[in-house]
Amino acid sequence: MSSMDNPPPSFICLVVNEKAVQRFPKKTIGETTYLIISDVQYEGTLNSHHLRSVLGCNNKEGERSDHYCWACRSYKTGTTYFYHCNECYNYYHKECVESPPIFISSYHPKYPLQLLKYDRGIRRECLCCGLEIYGLVYHSSISDLFMDPLCASKQEFSTIHNPERHEHTLHYFPRKAPITCDVCASDDTKNCFYSCLQCDFIVHGRCINLPHVIRISCHSHRLSFTSSLPFGNSWFCGVCSQKMDENYGSYSCTKSCAYAVHTNCATLLDVWAGKELKDQPELEDDNIKPSFEEMGDGIIRHFRHAHHRMKFIEDIEGVFDAKQQHCQACILPLYDGNVYTCMECDFFLHGTCANLPRIKRIEHRHRLILVKGRSYFCCRFCDRYSCGFGYTCGEGCFNYYLDVRCASLSQLVDHPSHPHPFFLFYQRKSFQKCSACERTESISLNCIERDFVLCCRCASLPYKVKYEHDEHMLTLSYEKIASGPCWCQMCEETTDPKKGYYTCSECRVTFHTECVLGNDIYLKEGNELYTYYGRKVEIIPNNRLSRPICHGCRKRCQYNIVFKNYLGNIFCSSLEVRYSR
């Protein structure tokens, strides 16, 4: 190894490295391509980027480092100092800079390891820490194992004493074998194991330093790690909804809830915020004020319309013109049910929308805050534009919004259009096809009884709607109501029960969902949005004597609103106008 003040001359700063990428031969392992790093390719490469050593911080094992290493592409904790490039200002772990092309690791002394650099394809996990590898990596072609430079260079690893995880000393188990980890309940052989010689305890190296108390997006209380769950109950994971084995470690609710989550599910990047909460004071969401202040006699002051008072009206069916009046939160028309109406202006809220909590926890690793938002936003679940209320990340994650209907989906959903309940399913590494619209999504609602899946776009459709030429309410259905084909009363084309449709139980007529609602059900006239090229678009009513022709699809605009760009061209939907110049 080189001294602190003299980094190896063979190391090329990653900026120069990328420019000289053609010098490095490539190697394909499975579906992944790597660059083979050797001193031969470094020779003759002009390198004006010089490295100097800088002191790092004394982070503990498992904590996030203060600097991002551009060699292994991680915030992992290394030694007490980094190297810093004088030209591009990148930081590099000492271990990454000093990594020789061929290395014998104490973790794997039997065979030498070849230094590679990730290029493209599926990322593999480090044998030691279990993290995906984005940059430099050591590989054994004989054992087919991968290690990042920090893990490969560790010397003190054969024994670990962590009394908070296990009371006895743990010993490194050098062979790859399908053994079930007592902490995460998986037999993943891609990660190394440690075993206790005094009792029957096996644990992955990456599981030893897992947190003890956490907060996840799918539950309102904190979760603590437990080595086993109480017997006698059937436990199902609150994230993946799969059955859990009580004999292995998991995270369970610290309150009285019968709620538990697989260890691996609880520590997913988009479920857990990455913070250990043990010995940290608990800030309960219950201390957040309610969304409105009751002033007596059915009068409230809502925090999103605090300058005026609002009055409660019970069962407003037929009271308002649904084509003119909309709920300001969900933007759906005021057909029926309870409503709060402003006593001084045209501001309305459904009773359920007025009671929306100011703080929500769903899917995202941070808590979500109810906001009025900008003039419009795009919902992360259903990919629809909305100009109503939304939930956004309380920690400032860029452009993370959910509309109020998608945010109101609970872990177990009783959808009135389907005979069986659904569970909200987060599929992290693959996608499921919606049984209705056939879109493939990572977040969906799965029927408990049969093979039926709804994406959030279909699941959030309103169950009841009104059609101006039918005196009855229309309801959403996915069931066949006749032996023969059914026809949409608006476009006169056949309706498909699998895709869902609106039907009148009295008149026995059917309508396509898009014919009744349009393509942009959460946008209303008078608002604006912008194209991908930054051009402003007006949303105007489609109330001309003749329907305009869409500048995009060249068909008549049949929905209640249309979109007008800066050139005066008319588009029938946000999908058509968003790419216009």
Side-chain angles (χ1 to χ4, degrees):
M1 293 290 184
S2 302
S3 68
M4 179 173 172
D5 297 322
N6 297 289
S10 62
F11 182 85
I12 300 177
C13 177
L14 263 290
V15 172
V16 180
N17 187 332
E18 296 293 344
K19 295 178 181 179
V21 68
Q22 297 301 324
R23 291 177 174 268
F24 295 83
K26 294 184 178 181
K27 179 178 182 179
T28 300
I29 304 173
E31 300 179 23
T32 311
T33 303
Y34 295 92
L35 305 178
I36 302 175
I37 307 299
S38 66
D39 288 332
V40 175
Q41 278 74 40
Y42 280 124
E43 293 175 1
T45 302
L46 296 176
N47 185 13
S48 61
H49 293 222
H50 301 288
L51 303 182
R52 63 181 179 86
S53 58
V54 293
L55 291 177
C57 60
N58 296 318
N59 301 80
K60 296 179 181 179
E61 181 72 22
E63 288 185 353
R64 178 187 171 103
S65 172
D66 294 333
H67 299 303
Y68 179 80
C69 175
W70 284 85
C72 66
R73 301 297 177 103
S74 77
Y75 281 100
K76 287 185 63 175
T77 303
T79 53
T80 55
Y81 68 90
F82 285 77
Y83 283 112
H84 178 250
C85 178
N86 67 321
E87 292 288 335
C88 57
Y89 307 109
N90 290 337
Y91 286 91
Y92 304 99
H93 289 123
K94 168 183 177 291
E95 293 86 348
C96 294
V97 170
E98 299 177 357
S99 298
I102 303 297
F103 183 61
I104 302 294
S105 171
S106 301
Y107 264 111
H108 191 66
K110 195 172 182 179
Y111 303 109
L113 303 176
Q114 168 68 54
L115 184 63
L116 306 174
K117 180 181 178 295
Y118 171 82
D119 185 36
R120 64 175 64 89
I122 299 175
R123 299 182 180 95
R124 302 292 292 269
E125 296 177 352
C126 174
L127 171 73
C128 305
C129 65
L131 298 178
E132 287 187 342
I133 299 172
Y134 293 77
L136 291 180
V137 56
Y138 278 110
H139 174 249
S140 169
S141 58
I142 299 174
S143 302
D144 190 31
L145 59 83
F146 295 82
M147 281 189 284
D148 64 52
L150 271 74
C151 291
S153 60
K154 286 182 179 179
Q155 300 298 322
E156 299 296 329
F157 70 92
S158 59
T159 61
I160 293 178
H161 185 62
N162 187 342
E164 292 186 343
R165 178 64 64 207
H166 189 67
E167 63 269 25
H168 304 140
T169 300
L170 300 173
H171 298 262
Y172 176 59
F173 188 78
R175 294 297 181 95
K176 295 174 65 175
I179 307 173
T180 303
C181 172
D182 285 305
V183 172
C184 72
S186 71
D187 59 356
D188 186 3
T189 58
K190 296 177 183 177
N191 304 118
C192 64
F193 283 95
Y194 282 81
S195 63
C196 176
L197 302 182
Q198 296 176 251
C199 63
D200 186 21
F201 183 81
I202 299 289
V203 60
H204 284 126
R206 62 179 171 84
C207 295
I208 293 174
N209 294 309
L210 285 177
H212 296 273
V213 180
I214 62 174
R215 194 82 183 252
I216 68 171
S217 61
C218 308
H219 194 63
S220 56
H221 303 138
R222 289 186 176 188
L223 306 181
S224 63
F225 180 81
T226 178
S227 57
S228 62
L229 293 168
F231 289 90
N233 297 327
S234 293
W235 292 90
F236 292 88
C237 176
V239 174
C240 71
S241 300
Q242 300 298 308
K243 196 174 188 309
M244 303 177 67
D245 191 328
E246 301 92 339
N247 297 295
Y248 295 99
S250 62
Y251 286 92
S252 62
C253 181
T254 57
K255 303 295 184 181
S256 57
C257 305
Y259 183 87
V261 179
H262 287 125
T263 302
N264 288 338
C265 292
T267 52
L268 288 169
L269 178 62
D270 49 357
V271 174
W272 171 49
K275 296 180 180 179
E276 166 68 86
L277 300 180
K278 185 180 179 181
D279 300 328
Q280 297 294 319
E282 188 165 3
L283 302 176
E284 288 287 353
D285 292 342
D286 297 339
N287 296 331
I288 303 297
K289 293 181 179 179
S291 296
F292 59 81
E293 175 189 357
E294 295 191 40
M295 308 183 72
D297 297 328
I299 297 176
I300 66 168
R301 191 181 298 276
H302 197 274
F303 85 108
R304 284 297 164 198
H305 195 67
H307 54 289
H308 293 157
R309 295 179 300 169
M310 303 185 71
K311 181 175 62 176
F312 177 75
I313 300 178
E314 186 175 3
D315 193 10
I316 51 86
E317 185 174 1
V319 175
F320 300 108
D321 182 359
K323 293 184 67 177
Q324 300 296 327
Q325 308 297 349
H326 296 75
C327 172
Q328 298 295 320
C330 67
I331 311 299
L332 293 178
L334 303 177
Y335 293 126
D336 62 354
N338 303 329
V339 165
Y340 285 94
T341 174
C342 180
M343 301 173 68
E344 299 184 43
C345 65
D346 291 335
F347 188 92
F348 303 91
L349 290 174
H350 286 122
T352 53
C353 293
N355 283 278
L356 288 169
R358 299 173 73 164
I359 300 294
K360 288 280 290 186
R361 292 187 180 273
I362 178 172
E363 194 268 337
H364 192 55
R365 62 185 182 274
H366 303 136
R367 65 180 186 171
L368 305 179
I369 300 174
L370 181 64
V371 295
K372 174 60 179 74
R374 306 168 299 182
S375 59
Y376 72 98
F377 62 87
C378 186
C379 176
R380 191 178 182 90
F381 275 18
C382 66
D383 198 32
R384 283 194 177 102
Y385 282 127
S386 173
C387 57
F389 290 5
Y391 284 91
T392 188
C393 176
E395 301 292 329
C397 290
F398 177 72
N399 213 23
Y400 189 99
Y401 281 93
L402 297 181
D403 64 54
V404 296
R405 290 186 62 83
C406 286
S408 298
L409 294 173
S410 58
Q411 202 67 33
L412 192 64
V413 180
D414 284 315
H415 202 284
S417 66
H418 191 72
H420 309 128
F422 291 88
F423 63 86
L424 192 59
F425 189 70
Y426 307 106
Q427 187 69 21
R428 306 295 167 182
K429 295 187 178 181
S430 62
F431 295 85
Q432 287 190 312
K433 181 182 289 188
C434 176
S435 301
C437 67
E438 298 186 346
R439 290 163 58 99
T440 53
E441 301 289 348
S442 60
I443 301 174
S444 60
L445 274 71
N446 290 27
C447 176
I448 290 178
E449 299 291 334
R450 67 188 193 194
D451 185 19
F452 187 81
V453 177
L454 283 182
C455 67
C456 292
R457 191 179 183 89
C458 293
S460 60
L461 290 174
Y463 177 60
K464 288 184 178 182
V465 297
K466 195 81 170 65
Y467 177 51
E468 58 184 336
H469 299 302
D470 195 316
E471 60 179 332
H472 309 116
M473 294 293 291
L474 307 179
T475 56
L476 182 64
S477 176
Y478 292 94
E479 303 294 327
K480 195 171 184 179
I481 63 173
S483 57
C486 294
W487 304 84
C488 175
Q489 297 297 302
M490 296 181 67
C491 68
E492 298 183 348
E493 295 184 5
T494 57
T495 57
D496 185 355
K498 293 181 179 179
K499 298 183 180 299
Y501 57 82
Y502 284 106
T503 179
C504 175
S505 58
E506 300 288 336
C507 307
R508 308 296 289 178
V509 293
T510 60
F511 301 83
H512 291 124
T513 56
E514 61 270 19
C515 289
V516 176
L517 300 172
N519 284 328
D520 299 282
I521 62 178
Y522 302 142
L523 293 177
K524 64 178 182 178
E525 61 188 72
N527 286 273
E528 300 173 345
L529 54 85
Y530 289 83
T531 68
Y532 284 142
Y533 303 99
R535 303 286 190 178
K536 186 171 72 173
V537 176
E538 298 178 58
I539 305 175
I540 61 176
N542 188 11
N543 55 6
R544 299 182 183 179
L545 293 178
S546 62
R547 299 288 188 182
I549 296 177
C550 175
H551 190 74
C553 67
R554 313 308 299 175
K555 296 180 181 178
R556 293 281 180 184
C557 300
Q558 58 179 325
Y559 306 129
N560 292 330
I561 58 173
V562 291
F563 302 82
K564 181 181 177 181
N565 70 3
Y566 74 107
L567 295 174
N569 297 324
I570 299 297
F571 296 82
C572 63
S573 70
S574 61
L575 181 64
E576 295 284 352
V577 76
R578 70 173 67 174
Y579 296 106
S580 66
R581 293 180 181 272

